[in-house]
Amino acid sequence: MGVYDLIVRGRYVVTCDAAMTVIEDGAIAVRDGVIAAVGPAEAVGRDADRLVEAPERILMPGLINMHCHAGDSLFRGLVEDLPLEPWLETVWKAERAILNRQTCRVGAELGLAEQLIGGVTTVMDMFWHPEATVEAARELGMRLATGGIFFDYPGMDGKFADARPGDTESFFAEHAGNDRVIVGVQVHGTYTVSPEALKVAGAIAERHGAFFSTHAAETEVEQATVSERYGRRVVEHLDDLGLLGPRTVLAHCVHLSDDERAAIARSGTHVVHNPLSNLKLASGFAPVAALHAAGVNLTLGTDGAISGNDLDMFLAMRLCATLAKAATGDAAALTTHAVLAMATRNAARALGREDSLGSLEVGKAADFVTLAIDRLHAAPLFDPITHIVYSANRADVADVYVAGRELVSEGRLVTTDASRLIAEARALVPAILASVGRA
Ligand SMILES: [Zn+2]
């Protein structure tokens, strides 16, 4: 028996600690699923039950996708290149016809497995039948942040608004004490949920000390709708209802007034930037550099596969960095360090898990990735963080560990059969096409 369960040695260890420390010829040692040592390989030693030598790899924290609807992967590419309203009409028709607990499970497993193999170890997900997403995450061995949905209209799960608070409470009760499931409240948006229901959702989140997540200020139409209905803008509305704060996570925040931006910064509210979704749906350019300058804790997301088509967090990082520069006309806007922090340590903070997730530091969970650098696009490699943000891609992900357990090995899923997932998704194609009159 070694001192440690596992030691992985790599060319670089990108820790994502507060100083974004990089250790050349470094190693991570794991005991009982937790990082027991991290440092120069010689200092960490070799005394482990399993020793992995990876001289052509970067070791980095598992990425955290802070906004996703994994189950929507079933509808990837179904309808494209239409304005938002007719596009949504078709997607909703298909969702209404197809989604049930079992198909949500198929979609969730497909979407989560795609992310896991791409280096993501924790996902914040908002979708119908969140218990199906929990099952999928458990099967794969990933961490999941999710919870009861709030939506005023009859949902794709066949439920009505009055069932939502009870369902949300049951979800908390069921997953209390499970460190793989971070439970919170998932509110669709201020234009689809009444002020009364928003307050109920906020009170539940507060009672459990849990996150309160919602779409906010994604489009101009949303801002106009909320302004007309309530006489105030989306983030002002949330602020007036007492719903901003350090447990609140707002997805998008593309269209913000100066006052809204200030309110987000002042309250310690977290923001999830979804660059690909914003680009493809022509939502606009989120003021990421300005939010960063205002001290807002920024995180990154892929959104669902109906609005971004894939769930690639490496692409999200690269788009985030390049878009911030293009949108501000400042090539110095948003550094590589800031962008990598968004996908790792900032996300852990937004989840209230900065003590256990988001960086490779002693005492934190052993959630990490090995990234292959024996690739043409990785040479010559002056700086591993620059490489991760600007030239690496998810196909470079070799191994993925969660709590020290290897879930992806040499680019292959360990805990599930990828070909089964593909077959299950393809089996639904005839029914999906029929649901939108294209059989
Ligand atoms: Zn979304």
Side-chain angles (χ1 to χ4, degrees), residues 67-69 72 126 188 215 218 251-252 274 277 302-304 307:
H67 186 67
C68 191
H69 314 280
D72 256 340
M126 178 195 288
H188 182 266
H215 295 108
E218 181 177 1
H252 297 302
N274 299 275
S277 171
T302 59
D303 213 344
S307 48

Side-chain angles (χ1 to χ4, degrees), residues 5-6 9 20 59 102 119 131 142-143 196 203 212 246 254 308 361 381 395 414 429:
D5 302 330
L6 168 72
R9 299 160 70 109
M20 295 301 274
L59 312 190
Q102 199 266 329
E131 65 281 4
M142 297 172 76
R143 292 183 206 277
E196 296 70 35
F212 173 96
V254 176
E361 295 179 83
L381 213 164
V414 172
V429 166

Side-chain angles (χ1 to χ4, degrees), residues 335-361:
T335 64
T336 53
H337 286 208
V339 173
L340 182 57
M342 288 170 70
T344 55
R345 58 179 302 108
N346 294 8
R349 194 176 142 207
L351 291 169
R353 297 292 171 108
E354 61 266 67
D355 56 341
S356 60
L357 302 177
S359 63
L360 303 180
E361 295 179 83

Side-chain angles (χ1 to χ4, degrees), residues 23-238:
I23 304 160
E24 203 167 339
D25 296 318
I28 302 172
V30 179
R31 195 190 295 126
D32 297 328
V34 172
I35 297 172
V38 55
E42 285 320 306
V44 173
R46 297 171 179 276
D47 193 357
D49 296 346
R50 182 177 171 219
L51 175 68
V52 178
E53 300 274 7
E56 289 292 339
R57 304 272 166 86
I58 292 171
L59 312 190
M60 60 183 284
L63 299 171
I64 302 177
N65 182 358
M66 283 295 289
H67 186 67
C68 191
H69 314 280
D72 256 340
S73 297
L74 293 176
F75 309 102
R76 182 197 329 265
L78 175 65
V79 53
E80 301 294 355
D81 306 328
L82 283 180
L84 190 67
E85 286 71 27
W87 175 84
L88 256 185
E89 217 169 277
T90 311
V91 170
W92 283 354
K93 207 185 276 179
E95 284 190 342
R96 209 166 290 126
I98 298 300
L99 291 180
N100 55 43
R101 194 180 193 287
Q102 199 266 329
T103 53
C104 281
R105 163 73 195 261
V106 174
E109 207 174 342
L110 178 70
L112 292 178
E114 176 195 344
Q115 294 180 73
L116 177 61
I117 208 167
V120 175
T121 50
T122 301
V123 179
M124 184 186 267
D125 199 84
M126 178 195 288
F127 208 60
W128 311 108
H129 296 290
E131 65 281 4
T133 316
V134 170
E135 277 177 20
R138 187 189 301 131
E139 167 129 357
L140 290 162
M142 297 172 76
R143 292 183 206 277
L144 179 70
T146 192
I149 306 284
F150 277 76
F151 190 64
D152 279 354
Y153 310 96
M156 304 297 177
D157 52 3
K159 292 187 179 179
F160 295 90
D162 57 358
R164 303 292 175 196
D167 279 8
T168 302
E169 285 289 9
S170 313
F171 201 84
F172 274 104
E174 189 152 331
H175 301 290
N178 181 346
D179 79 330
R180 296 290 174 93
V181 183
I182 302 164
V183 182
V185 174
Q186 295 281 21
V187 174
H188 182 266
T190 51
Y191 59 109
T192 48
V193 179
S194 69
E196 296 70 35
L198 283 168
K199 275 196 257 185
V200 170
I204 294 174
E206 171 143 28
R207 189 152 60 242
H208 294 278
F211 71 79
F212 173 96
S213 171
T214 187
H215 295 108
E218 181 177 1
T219 66
E220 291 278 24
V221 173
E222 174 193 344
Q223 280 288 13
T225 304
V226 169
S227 294
E228 194 176 316
R229 210 179 285 168
Y230 304 114
R232 52 200 182 194
R233 293 171 63 87
V234 170
V235 175
E236 292 168 348
H237 184 51
L238 289 166

Side-chain angles (χ1 to χ4, degrees), residues 239-264:
D239 197 12
D240 287 355
L241 293 168
L243 295 171
L244 299 184
R247 286 181 296 93
T248 296
V249 178
L250 302 182
H252 297 302
C253 292
V254 176
H255 300 279
L256 298 174
S257 67
D258 290 351
D259 285 352
E260 287 180 303
R261 195 167 71 217
I264 289 170

